[in-house]
Amino acid sequence: MSVHLSGRLSLENAPVINTSIPGPKSKQYLEIQDRLETSSRSYTGFFKFAIDYGKGSTVVDLDGNVFIDWFAGVSVMNLGHGHPAVLQALRGQIDRITHITEVPTEARINYLKKLNSLLPGKMRDNSKIFMTVSGADACEAAVSLARYNSKKPTIIAFSGSYHGIAGGIVGATSNFHYREFAGFASQNYVYAPYPYAYRYPGNVSREDISKDVIGRIEEMIRDPYSGVPPVGGIIVEPVQGEGGYIVPPDDFLPMLRETCDDHSIPLIIDEVQSGIGRTGKVWASEYQNVTPDIMCISKSIGGGIPISSIAYRKDFDQIPKAFHLGTYRGNPLGLAAGAAVLDIVKEDSFLQRVRSKGKYVLERFEEIQEKSSIIGEARGRGFMIAAEIVKNKKDKSPGTELAGAVRDSMFQKGVLMHTCGHYGNTMRFMAPLTIEDDLLEKGISIFEESIRETEVRS
Ligand SMILES: Cc1ncc(COP(=O)(O)O)c(C=O)c1O
């Protein structure tokens, strides 16, 4: 049996809450952080504790309270905290070298070979890899590469998209909040609606949504009076992450691929959140057998060490030296961890478990939804599962504060569950893919309890 399934990775009997939250020791750290670190923090506004250590799908705070982690550091810890294979890879690397820009090391070569051999469809063993540092950096490089190859300025992104907050790529991130004061927010982005069936505007039936979206995109590209300058790339999340864990209809990506082919437009698939086994395949785009021209990879690939990459078609490689730079691209620790992560998530038994457990969690969320007055829709694929919270089911008015209350209630009971969505009103399940069954069950019971309590109070 492979390393990921042999033996328990998490602490037993979680959650264990013995103090008020935050406990006294956590409070001290939070106070120091408040004094010394920027007030522009988000997560410490609702996860008010200080961490001692993490193990599998559990984290322990400074006061000894044990939490079930359905947060995974925003979908980074796909293998959980301190996975033995990742630790072994890190220990093997740390005494050798921890930074040297671009020069090949064993870790780099291993990573390059392994990643290439796991790429989707026609990309497999037939691509070039570009090392980057974060998700935003990868998306930034992807867009530059698309523009360089197409020689056209405009990038189509989607409503609800999130591709990061760095320089130019923030332009592809749909929420204006992130762009308003960005140092350089490029004007070269336009947005098409994402096929978000629960809130798709107009009277388009679920079956026709992809056609409607693609029709709008075709019009942007073809019509000289569309107002859209020539389109040099389309960037899409195969399952939307920050936008609300939205799974598009199955015909959407293939239709988008066809449009890109018809107009020779590079298709960038952003697998930063949906990749590395998160949806039950190594890449979410594999569900529709769609091959990107450029793919963005980050978050869980480094097992908690910040690395990212783009993979792209070989014929896009006619680019100048130093096309996109960064000192820290391809950190050896991250690459060593990355090779270990890939070895695990590629296994059929691992992916099969993510699919079957994900299906189970979704079914349980659907049961809870049926009995609940505030869950408008439960949806998802693999371990990207959402419960969209509404004030009432009829008019679907977003229950942003209610979602915050559910998150707070779960936190007090010892489960970390975060929100996402256009209005921050969607509860999202993004636990480590290695989570044990008992932690799923306990988490689901606590989720249900917190929904009930919030409903009663609303
Ligand atoms: C799909 C997607 N792309 C890009 C990013 C940006 O990644 P980072 O926060 O590492 O810059 C994110 C982050 O959540 C993401 O979900």
Side-chain angles (χ1 to χ4, degrees):
M1 190 179 275
S2 49
V3 65
H4 62 275
L5 293 175
S6 56
R8 189 178 177 88
L9 299 171
S10 306
L11 296 169
E12 303 273 358
N13 302 321
V16 182
I17 302 296
N18 287 321
T19 68
S20 56
I21 305 292
K25 291 185 182 153
S26 284
K27 259 191 191 152
Q28 282 178 7
Y29 273 23
L30 288 165
E31 276 161 23
I32 297 170
Q33 189 182 34
D34 263 347
R35 249 186 299 124
L36 300 181
E37 203 175 325
T38 176
S39 59
S40 170
R41 304 188 312 271
S42 310
Y43 300 97
T44 47
F46 39 82
F47 294 147
K48 290 196 178 94
F49 66 166
I51 293 288
D52 186 2
Y53 65 95
K55 214 168 163 356
S57 300
T58 44
V59 290
V60 181
D61 75 4
L62 280 191
D63 299 280
N65 300 303
V66 184
F67 293 77
I68 297 175
D69 185 1
W70 276 12
F71 172 57
V74 208
S75 195
V76 166
M77 306 309 292
N78 279 11
L79 300 187
H81 302 279
H83 190 284
V86 173
L87 293 185
Q88 194 183 351
L90 290 174
R91 287 186 187 118
Q93 185 60 42
I94 204 157
D95 286 332
R96 296 177 80 180
I97 194 155
T98 56
H99 172 74
I100 180 161
T101 299
E102 267 188 7
V103 177
T105 54
E106 189 184 345
R108 200 172 189 104
I109 298 303
N110 260 340
Y111 174 90
L112 284 168
K113 284 188 184 162
K114 283 189 180 164
L115 181 55
N116 240 303
S117 73
L118 282 174
L119 292 173
K122 289 175 234 151
M123 290 190 113
R124 184 158 301 169
D125 283 324
N126 191 28
S127 300
K128 284 298 197 85
I129 310 285
F130 198 111
M131 302 291 186
T132 44
V133 181
S134 63
D137 190 25
C139 294
E140 190 80 67
V143 162
S144 303
L145 187 64
R147 280 205 183 111
Y148 187 86
N149 275 282
S150 63
K151 306 281 183 257
K152 290 179 184 156
T154 305
I155 299 291
I156 298 179
F158 289 88
S159 57
S161 62
Y162 187 91
H163 301 288
I165 305 294
I169 195 64
V170 69
T173 290
S174 55
N175 192 331
F176 183 64
H177 161 82
Y178 296 116
R179 280 181 278 133
E180 191 172 5
F181 302 109
F184 167 70
S186 167
Q187 300 302 309
N188 294 330
Y189 292 91
V190 294
Y191 304 89
Y194 196 75
Y196 177 13
Y198 184 63
R199 291 189 185 276
Y200 200 76
N203 287 324
V204 184
S205 68
R206 278 191 183 239
E207 300 73 55
D208 289 334
I209 288 179
S210 302
K211 218 163 68 192
D212 191 72
V213 173
I214 298 298
R216 290 164 191 246
I217 291 174
E218 284 282 348
E219 198 241 5
M220 287 182 196
I221 298 167
R222 283 179 200 275
D223 182 351
Y225 276 76
S226 69
V228 176
V231 175
I234 298 183
I235 184 164
V236 67
E237 293 163 79
V239 174
Q240 221 171 42
E242 301 306 301
Y245 279 19
I246 301 162
V247 184
D250 274 339
D251 57 357
F252 171 62
L253 276 187
M255 287 169 85
L256 194 61
R257 178 68 272 179
E258 205 180 315
T259 294
C260 287
D261 289 342
D262 288 350
H263 301 282
S264 301
I265 293 172
L267 176 62
I268 304 166
I269 298 195
D270 179 351
E271 293 267 13
V272 165
Q273 187 155 174
S274 55
I276 319 295
R278 171 91 5 220
T279 66
K281 301 242 181 200
V282 179
W283 315 107
S285 61
E286 287 179 294
Y287 277 97
Q288 293 83 26
N289 294 318
V290 167
T291 305
D293 297 305
I294 306 171
M295 190 167 83
C296 311
I297 306 154
S298 185
K299 283 206 188 268
S300 61
I301 182 80
I305 308 292
I307 58 162
S308 66
S309 303
I310 59 169
Y312 60 94
R313 316 171 14 170
K314 278 190 171 157
D315 60 325
F316 277 14
D317 204 32
Q318 306 303 316
I319 42 179
K321 299 272 174 245
F323 176 72
H324 180 92
L325 278 179
T327 307
Y328 290 109
R329 290 171 304 122
N331 172 270
L333 287 174
L335 296 173
V341 168
L342 288 172
D343 271 346
I344 291 172
V345 300
K346 71 177 187 207
E347 285 186 35
D348 282 344
S349 58
F350 182 88
L351 294 167
Q352 177 53 42
R353 182 176 182 274
V354 177
R355 291 197 288 273
S356 67
K357 294 294 164 191
K359 187 164 169 280
Y360 171 73
V361 176
L362 178 56
E363 283 164 7
R364 294 292 305 276
F365 275 28
E366 283 167 347
E367 283 165 23
I368 299 168
Q369 178 207 351
E370 266 178 34
K371 290 182 259 163
S372 158
S373 60
I374 60 167
I375 301 180
E377 184 177 67
R379 56 175 178 258
R381 176 165 281 158
F383 270 32
M384 288 180 91
I385 300 171
E388 180 157 348
I389 308 293
V390 289
K391 287 189 197 146
N392 76 65
K393 288 187 178 184
K394 270 209 178 116
D395 70 10
K396 301 182 181 175
S397 48
T400 309
E401 280 168 18
L402 294 174
V406 174
R407 179 179 54 202
D408 290 349
S409 160
M410 290 181 75
F411 181 55
Q412 291 297 325
K413 295 177 199 296
V415 179
L416 310 186
M417 187 176 191
H418 188 32
T419 56
C420 60
H422 287 222
Y423 306 95
N425 64 320
T426 298
M427 301 301 299
R428 60 169 147 169
F429 170 81
M430 54 174 159
L433 310 179
T434 49
I435 190 170
E436 291 82 358
D437 290 357
D438 61 303
L439 300 181
L440 282 180
E441 287 301 337
K442 282 186 194 162
I444 293 169
S445 307
I446 288 176
F447 172 61
E448 186 166 16
E449 262 175 57
S450 294
I451 289 281
R452 292 258 160 76
E453 284 174 19
T454 307
E455 248 163 29
V456 169
R457 270 191 261 117
S458 71

